[in-house]
Amino acid sequence: MRKIRVLVVDDSSFNRKIISEILESSEKIEVVGKAFDGEDAISKILKFQPEAITLDLEMPRMDGFAVLRWVMANHPVPVIVVSARESDRSVFKALDLGAVDFVVKPSRHASPQLKEIERELLAKILSIPSLQFDVVRQRLAQTAPPPAPAALPQAQGSRTAEVVAIAASTGGPPAIQQILQGLHPALASPILVCQHMPPIFTRLFAERLGALTGRAVKEAEDGEALQPAHVYIAPGGKQLRLKLKEGVKRLSVDERKPEDRFAPCANHLLASVAEVCGRHCLVAVLTGMGDDGKEGSVAVHEAGGAVVAESEASAVIFGMPREVIKAGAADHITDIPGVVGLINRYAVMRSGFGP
């Protein structure tokens, strides 16, 4: 059986040891080397030719960002950032530079708590054979976001989407950013986003999207009423649902239950959108491993709403969209520019714009 060859990069010898032990607990992974800083990492990348890298961001001499830039230019392979929570904002910079995902260390300092990341880290490394890394490289080669359309196309009659929901996991942040940057400025439908991401990071993700897109983006709060042209990010570690209370669409944010596989969970969000909006919604299931979003998409489809699955051509990991398609719930299968076009076509617009 062919193993995934991984290089572990971390300036802590203890962390290198624990991360290596976690990875080698799987018979499908081989740790081919360990590096203590950026310069050592580049030397060992050239020597061992790894197929994947786990990368610490904060290191002496040459930090993780410099390594990422070098890797993407000279030896492009999937990189999973293993970062301390104190480096939270840095994670998004790493994703911009080409990292495919990240795992949060429980502590900034060397600690036995690091073993707590075992399940998440293994899942992300083991997903690498199904990852389409060329999609990441193509995104890095793009220098500017697509311009918003000059005119808003006619919506689809009675299926006009009063609410739009987007679900994503690995590879999702850049795709969501691209979608929001491509939306027409007249778009009035609120947008609910379920991106698999830990607590704290979802708030920072919202702030980042707002700054980059110029749209009103915030982390969702329990009980707040949906506002036109706003984007709401599901909080990490909690469950976001849409509720109808006294005729007003409001957000419900609940604590994670022991049986929940994901928090936030796309199935919970999409099913609630189907229940509240019926046929007057559009949901898009983007890149990500696993099947979260499948059951929720089926609920939307059965309620008469529109379901969009990202195509294999643009998905970093064609897991979540594939499951929606296999379930027969996808009304449209398209790449990210196509998702933008469909949202622009189905969504409600402010008066005075478009046809």
Side-chain angles (χ1 to χ4, degrees):
M1 179 182 64
R2 190 171 181 277
K3 297 185 177 184
I4 305 169
R5 305 175 71 255
V6 182
L7 176 69
V8 174
V9 184
D10 197 297
D11 64 339
S12 162
S13 59
F14 179 84
N15 288 347
R16 292 195 299 273
K17 176 177 181 293
I18 296 299
I19 292 171
S20 298
E21 289 175 353
I22 288 172
L23 296 177
E24 292 190 320
S25 69
S26 169
E27 61 182 11
K28 298 179 180 179
I29 300 171
E30 176 188 3
V31 175
V32 295
K34 306 172 192 175
F36 55 81
D37 67 11
E39 293 182 6
D40 189 36
I42 290 174
S43 172
K44 286 176 178 170
I45 290 167
L46 294 171
K47 179 179 180 180
F48 296 115
Q49 301 289 303
E51 297 167 312
I53 299 168
T54 69
L55 180 65
D56 185 20
L57 293 178
E58 297 183 356
M59 297 182 293
R61 293 202 300 173
M62 179 185 287
D63 63 19
F65 302 115
V67 174
L68 259 175
R69 292 188 184 95
W70 186 91
V71 166
M72 295 306 149
N74 298 280
H75 185 80
V77 295
V79 174
I80 305 292
V81 168
V82 182
S83 169
R85 192 173 298 276
E86 290 81 355
S87 304
D88 44 18
R89 293 185 185 276
S90 300
V91 163
F92 295 103
K93 179 179 177 182
L95 294 176
D96 283 346
L97 292 174
V100 296
D101 212 335
F102 67 94
V103 176
V104 181
K105 294 176 183 175
S107 171
R108 182 172 187 170
H109 306 289
S111 165
Q113 286 181 299
L114 187 60
K115 294 180 181 179
E116 295 173 7
I117 69 171
E118 178 173 359
R119 181 177 177 181
E120 183 181 8
L121 180 59
L122 282 174
K124 292 182 176 181
I125 293 293
L126 290 172
S127 73
I128 283 174
S130 62
L131 185 147
Q132 299 190 106
F133 193 61
D134 283 347
V135 172
V136 178
R137 298 178 67 184
Q138 290 166 11
R139 172 176 59 80
L140 291 175
Q142 294 175 351
T143 57
L152 190 65
Q154 182 64 47
Q156 292 292 298
S158 60
R159 287 204 344 165
T160 296
E162 297 174 358
V163 172
V164 174
I166 299 172
S169 186
T170 300
I176 293 167
Q177 178 183 323
Q178 185 178 347
I179 288 171
L180 295 186
Q181 287 175 321
L183 295 181
H184 195 281
L187 216 68
S189 299
I191 300 174
L192 311 180
V193 176
C194 176
Q195 166 66 50
H196 292 170
M197 195 173 280
I200 298 178
F201 289 88
T202 45
R203 175 178 56 81
L204 297 171
F205 184 44
E207 293 173 0
R208 177 181 174 79
L209 287 175
L212 290 172
T213 67
R215 306 189 76 87
V217 186
K218 69 186 299 292
E219 189 177 55
E221 297 181 48
D222 185 50
E224 67 180 318
L226 290 190
Q227 298 296 321
H230 279 57
V231 181
Y232 301 91
I233 309 296
K238 298 186 178 182
Q239 301 297 3
L240 175 65
R241 294 177 175 86
L242 184 64
K243 303 285 187 180
L244 189 64
K245 297 184 179 180
E246 299 178 350
V248 177
K249 295 183 181 71
R250 294 187 180 276
L251 299 176
S252 171
V253 177
D254 300 311
E255 295 298 325
R256 178 178 195 160
K257 294 181 179 179
E259 63 269 23
D260 289 339
R261 283 196 300 157
F262 306 103
C265 173
N267 282 328
H268 293 335
L269 175 60
L270 302 189
S272 72
V273 169
E275 182 178 353
V276 170
C277 300
R279 64 187 304 170
H280 300 292
C281 65
L282 178 143
V283 305
V285 178
L286 311 180
T287 175
M289 56 186 172
D291 63 358
D292 191 23
K294 179 182 76 172
E295 294 174 7
S297 294
V298 169
V300 171
H301 183 71
E302 291 177 347
V307 178
V308 184
E310 185 179 1
S311 67
E312 188 172 8
S314 70
V316 174
I317 294 186
F318 189 56
M320 289 166 53
R322 178 194 288 119
E323 294 303 315
V324 172
I325 295 166
K326 285 171 60 178
D331 299 295
H332 306 275
I333 304 169
T334 185
D335 58 12
I336 293 300
V339 174
V340 173
L342 287 165
I343 295 174
N344 283 332
R345 191 173 106 196
Y346 278 88
V348 175
M349 62 178 175
R350 294 196 297 271
S351 60
F353 290 84

